[in-house]
PDB file of all heavy atoms in Angstrom:
ATOM      1  N   LYS A1437       5.084 -10.822  10.775  1.00  0.00           N
ATOM      2  CA  LYS A1437       4.153 -11.865  11.220  1.00  0.00           C
ATOM      3  C   LYS A1437       2.813 -11.680  10.510  1.00  0.00           C
ATOM      4  O   LYS A1437       1.841 -11.175  11.057  1.00  0.00           O
ATOM      5  CB  LYS A1437       3.980 -11.828  12.739  1.00  0.00           C
ATOM      6  CG  LYS A1437       3.385 -13.115  13.292  1.00  0.00           C
ATOM      7  CD  LYS A1437       3.577 -13.204  14.785  1.00  0.00           C
ATOM      8  CE  LYS A1437       3.040 -14.531  15.318  1.00  0.00           C
ATOM      9  NZ  LYS A1437       3.273 -14.696  16.764  1.00  0.00           N
ATOM     10  N   ASN A1438       2.803 -12.115   9.256  1.00  0.00           N
ATOM     11  CA  ASN A1438       1.624 -11.948   8.420  1.00  0.00           C
ATOM     12  C   ASN A1438       1.588 -13.073   7.388  1.00  0.00           C
ATOM     13  O   ASN A1438       2.593 -13.741   7.157  1.00  0.00           O
ATOM     14  CB  ASN A1438       1.658 -10.580   7.737  1.00  0.00           C
ATOM     15  CG  ASN A1438       2.911 -10.394   6.917  1.00  0.00           C
ATOM     16  OD1 ASN A1438       3.074 -11.006   5.866  1.00  0.00           O
ATOM     17  ND2 ASN A1438       3.826  -9.554   7.413  1.00  0.00           N
ATOM     18  N   PRO A1439       0.447 -13.303   6.742  1.00  0.00           N
ATOM     19  CA  PRO A1439       0.337 -14.412   5.786  1.00  0.00           C
ATOM     20  C   PRO A1439       1.139 -14.220   4.504  1.00  0.00           C
ATOM     21  O   PRO A1439       1.338 -15.174   3.754  1.00  0.00           O
ATOM     22  CB  PRO A1439      -1.174 -14.443   5.469  1.00  0.00           C
ATOM     23  CG  PRO A1439      -1.828 -13.626   6.519  1.00  0.00           C
ATOM     24  CD  PRO A1439      -0.823 -12.622   6.956  1.00  0.00           C
ATOM     25  N   VAL A1440       1.590 -13.003   4.239  1.00  0.00           N
ATOM     26  CA  VAL A1440       2.246 -12.703   2.968  1.00  0.00           C
ATOM     27  C   VAL A1440       3.749 -12.970   3.020  1.00  0.00           C
ATOM     28  O   VAL A1440       4.345 -13.447   2.051  1.00  0.00           O
ATOM     29  CB  VAL A1440       1.983 -11.237   2.553  1.00  0.00           C
ATOM     30  CG1 VAL A1440       2.596 -10.950   1.182  1.00  0.00           C
ATOM     31  CG2 VAL A1440       0.489 -10.955   2.521  1.00  0.00           C
ATOM     32  N   SER A1441       4.382 -12.679   4.147  1.00  0.00           N
ATOM     33  CA  SER A1441       5.822 -12.869   4.263  1.00  0.00           C
ATOM     34  C   SER A1441       6.177 -14.351   4.234  1.00  0.00           C
ATOM     35  O   SER A1441       5.546 -15.160   4.907  1.00  0.00           O
ATOM     36  CB  SER A1441       6.347 -12.256   5.569  1.00  0.00           C
ATOM     37  OG  SER A1441       6.150 -10.859   5.585  1.00  0.00           O
ATOM     38  N   SER A1442       7.189 -14.690   3.456  1.00  0.00           N
ATOM     39  CA  SER A1442       7.649 -16.076   3.406  1.00  0.00           C
ATOM     40  C   SER A1442       8.432 -16.409   4.678  1.00  0.00           C
ATOM     41  O   SER A1442       8.848 -15.510   5.422  1.00  0.00           O
ATOM     42  CB  SER A1442       8.542 -16.289   2.185  1.00  0.00           C
ATOM     43  OG  SER A1442       9.762 -15.573   2.328  1.00  0.00           O
ATOM     44  N   LYS A1443       8.657 -17.695   4.912  1.00  0.00           N
ATOM     45  CA  LYS A1443       9.438 -18.123   6.071  1.00  0.00           C
ATOM     46  C   LYS A1443      10.847 -17.532   6.015  1.00  0.00           C
ATOM     47  O   LYS A1443      11.396 -17.099   7.030  1.00  0.00           O
ATOM     48  CB  LYS A1443       9.516 -19.650   6.093  1.00  0.00           C
ATOM     49  CG  LYS A1443       9.730 -20.251   7.462  1.00  0.00           C
ATOM     50  CD  LYS A1443       8.453 -20.171   8.277  1.00  0.00           C
ATOM     51  CE  LYS A1443       8.476 -21.129   9.445  1.00  0.00           C
ATOM     52  NZ  LYS A1443       7.261 -21.097  10.241  1.00  0.00           N
ATOM     53  N   LYS A1444      11.410 -17.517   4.819  1.00  0.00           N
ATOM     54  CA  LYS A1444      12.745 -16.945   4.663  1.00  0.00           C
ATOM     55  C   LYS A1444      12.742 -15.466   5.022  1.00  0.00           C
ATOM     56  O   LYS A1444      13.640 -14.970   5.717  1.00  0.00           O
ATOM     57  CB  LYS A1444      13.239 -17.139   3.235  1.00  0.00           C
ATOM     58  CG  LYS A1444      14.605 -16.517   2.983  1.00  0.00           C
ATOM     59  CD  LYS A1444      15.010 -16.609   1.519  1.00  0.00           C
ATOM     60  CE  LYS A1444      16.328 -15.866   1.265  1.00  0.00           C
ATOM     61  NZ  LYS A1444      16.679 -15.867  -0.184  1.00  0.00           N
ATOM     62  N   GLN A1445      11.736 -14.729   4.566  1.00  0.00           N
ATOM     63  CA  GLN A1445      11.653 -13.296   4.871  1.00  0.00           C
ATOM     64  C   GLN A1445      11.453 -13.069   6.363  1.00  0.00           C
ATOM     65  O   GLN A1445      12.012 -12.128   6.936  1.00  0.00           O
ATOM     66  CB  GLN A1445      10.515 -12.668   4.068  1.00  0.00           C
ATOM     67  CG  GLN A1445      10.820 -12.546   2.588  1.00  0.00           C
ATOM     68  CD  GLN A1445       9.619 -12.102   1.777  1.00  0.00           C
ATOM     69  OE1 GLN A1445       8.466 -12.416   2.106  1.00  0.00           O
ATOM     70  NE2 GLN A1445       9.873 -11.370   0.700  1.00  0.00           N
ATOM     71  N   GLN A1446      10.674 -13.937   7.002  1.00  0.00           N
ATOM     72  CA  GLN A1446      10.491 -13.814   8.445  1.00  0.00           C
ATOM     73  C   GLN A1446      11.800 -14.048   9.186  1.00  0.00           C
ATOM     74  O   GLN A1446      12.111 -13.346  10.155  1.00  0.00           O
ATOM     75  CB  GLN A1446       9.410 -14.796   8.910  1.00  0.00           C
ATOM     76  CG  GLN A1446       8.014 -14.428   8.434  1.00  0.00           C
ATOM     77  CD  GLN A1446       6.982 -15.473   8.783  1.00  0.00           C
ATOM     78  OE1 GLN A1446       7.290 -16.660   8.879  1.00  0.00           O
ATOM     79  NE2 GLN A1446       5.730 -15.054   8.978  1.00  0.00           N
ATOM     80  N   LYS A1447      12.573 -15.026   8.723  1.00  0.00           N
ATOM     81  CA  LYS A1447      13.871 -15.303   9.347  1.00  0.00           C
ATOM     82  C   LYS A1447      14.817 -14.116   9.179  1.00  0.00           C
ATOM     83  O   LYS A1447      15.522 -13.725  10.121  1.00  0.00           O
ATOM     84  CB  LYS A1447      14.497 -16.555   8.736  1.00  0.00           C
ATOM     85  CG  LYS A1447      13.899 -17.857   9.231  1.00  0.00           C
ATOM     86  CD  LYS A1447      14.715 -19.045   8.732  1.00  0.00           C
ATOM     87  CE  LYS A1447      14.212 -20.352   9.326  1.00  0.00           C
ATOM     88  NZ  LYS A1447      15.072 -21.490   8.968  1.00  0.00           N
ATOM     89  N   ILE A1448      14.852 -13.543   7.979  1.00  0.00           N
ATOM     90  CA  ILE A1448      15.737 -12.412   7.725  1.00  0.00           C
ATOM     91  C   ILE A1448      15.346 -11.225   8.596  1.00  0.00           C
ATOM     92  O   ILE A1448      16.200 -10.559   9.196  1.00  0.00           O
ATOM     93  CB  ILE A1448      15.703 -12.029   6.229  1.00  0.00           C
ATOM     94  CG1 ILE A1448      16.396 -13.119   5.394  1.00  0.00           C
ATOM     95  CG2 ILE A1448      16.375 -10.671   5.994  1.00  0.00           C
ATOM     96  CD1 ILE A1448      16.260 -12.925   3.897  1.00  0.00           C
ATOM     97  N   CYS A1449      14.049 -10.970   8.694  1.00  0.00           N
ATOM     98  CA  CYS A1449      13.575  -9.860   9.524  1.00  0.00           C
ATOM     99  C   CYS A1449      13.946 -10.088  10.988  1.00  0.00           C
ATOM    100  O   CYS A1449      14.471  -9.195  11.656  1.00  0.00           O
ATOM    101  CB  CYS A1449      12.064  -9.713   9.368  1.00  0.00           C
ATOM    102  SG  CYS A1449      11.347  -8.345  10.318  1.00  0.00           S
ATOM    103  N   ALA A1450      13.686 -11.290  11.497  1.00  0.00           N
ATOM    104  CA  ALA A1450      14.001 -11.603  12.898  1.00  0.00           C
ATOM    105  C   ALA A1450      15.495 -11.488  13.159  1.00  0.00           C
ATOM    106  O   ALA A1450      15.924 -10.961  14.201  1.00  0.00           O
ATOM    107  CB  ALA A1450      13.512 -13.004  13.243  1.00  0.00           C
ATOM    108  N   CYS A1451      16.296 -11.981  12.223  1.00  0.00           N
ATOM    109  CA  CYS A1451      17.752 -11.917  12.361  1.00  0.00           C
ATOM    110  C   CYS A1451      18.225 -10.464  12.436  1.00  0.00           C
ATOM    111  O   CYS A1451      19.038 -10.098  13.288  1.00  0.00           O
ATOM    112  CB  CYS A1451      18.403 -12.640  11.182  1.00  0.00           C
ATOM    113  SG  CYS A1451      20.196 -12.706  11.259  1.00  0.00           S
ATOM    114  N   LYS A1452      17.700  -9.612  11.554  1.00  0.00           N
ATOM    115  CA  LYS A1452      18.109  -8.202  11.540  1.00  0.00           C
ATOM    116  C   LYS A1452      17.638  -7.470  12.796  1.00  0.00           C
ATOM    117  O   LYS A1452      18.343  -6.590  13.318  1.00  0.00           O
ATOM    118  CB  LYS A1452      17.573  -7.518  10.280  1.00  0.00           C
ATOM    119  CG  LYS A1452      18.292  -7.962   9.011  1.00  0.00           C
ATOM    120  CD  LYS A1452      17.770  -7.229   7.779  1.00  0.00           C
ATOM    121  CE  LYS A1452      18.523  -7.674   6.527  1.00  0.00           C
ATOM    122  NZ  LYS A1452      18.045  -7.009   5.307  1.00  0.00           N
ATOM    123  N   ILE A1453      16.473  -7.841  13.296  1.00  0.00           N
ATOM    124  CA  ILE A1453      15.994  -7.237  14.542  1.00  0.00           C
ATOM    125  C   ILE A1453      16.953  -7.555  15.690  1.00  0.00           C
ATOM    126  O   ILE A1453      17.303  -6.680  16.491  1.00  0.00           O
ATOM    127  CB  ILE A1453      14.567  -7.721  14.864  1.00  0.00           C
ATOM    128  CG1 ILE A1453      13.561  -7.093  13.891  1.00  0.00           C
ATOM    129  CG2 ILE A1453      14.188  -7.377  16.310  1.00  0.00           C
ATOM    130  CD1 ILE A1453      12.152  -7.653  14.019  1.00  0.00           C
ATOM    131  N   LEU A1454      17.397  -8.797  15.773  1.00  0.00           N
ATOM    132  CA  LEU A1454      18.318  -9.193  16.847  1.00  0.00           C
ATOM    133  C   LEU A1454      19.693  -8.538  16.678  1.00  0.00           C
ATOM    134  O   LEU A1454      20.313  -8.123  17.666  1.00  0.00           O
ATOM    135  CB  LEU A1454      18.450 -10.711  16.886  1.00  0.00           C
ATOM    136  CG  LEU A1454      17.231 -11.452  17.448  1.00  0.00           C
ATOM    137  CD1 LEU A1454      17.342 -12.946  17.197  1.00  0.00           C
ATOM    138  CD2 LEU A1454      17.066 -11.176  18.950  1.00  0.00           C
ATOM    139  N   LEU A1455      20.171  -8.439  15.444  1.00  0.00           N
ATOM    140  CA  LEU A1455      21.446  -7.749  15.215  1.00  0.00           C
ATOM    141  C   LEU A1455      21.329  -6.271  15.566  1.00  0.00           C
ATOM    142  O   LEU A1455      22.248  -5.678  16.140  1.00  0.00           O
ATOM    143  CB  LEU A1455      21.870  -7.911  13.749  1.00  0.00           C
ATOM    144  CG  LEU A1455      22.284  -9.323  13.320  1.00  0.00           C
ATOM    145  CD1 LEU A1455      22.562  -9.370  11.822  1.00  0.00           C
ATOM    146  CD2 LEU A1455      23.513  -9.801  14.101  1.00  0.00           C
ATOM    147  N   ALA A1456      20.189  -5.677  15.240  1.00  0.00           N
ATOM    148  CA  ALA A1456      19.961  -4.275  15.602  1.00  0.00           C
ATOM    149  C   ALA A1456      19.892  -4.112  17.114  1.00  0.00           C
ATOM    150  O   ALA A1456      20.411  -3.139  17.670  1.00  0.00           O
ATOM    151  CB  ALA A1456      18.669  -3.778  14.953  1.00  0.00           C
ATOM    152  N   ALA A1457      19.262  -5.081  17.795  1.00  0.00           N
ATOM    153  CA  ALA A1457      19.190  -5.035  19.257  1.00  0.00           C
ATOM    154  C   ALA A1457      20.585  -5.097  19.858  1.00  0.00           C
ATOM    155  O   ALA A1457      20.907  -4.382  20.811  1.00  0.00           O
ATOM    156  CB  ALA A1457      18.336  -6.190  19.773  1.00  0.00           C
TER     157      ALA A1457
END
Side-chain angles (χ1 to χ4, degrees):
K1437 198 164 183 177
N1438 57 72
V1440 184
S1441 297
S1442 68
K1443 206 74 162 181
K1444 178 186 175 184
Q1445 288 172 328
Q1446 291 174 331
K1447 283 188 175 186
I1448 290 173
C1449 181
C1451 183
K1452 288 182 179 179
I1453 288 173
L1454 287 169
L1455 291 175

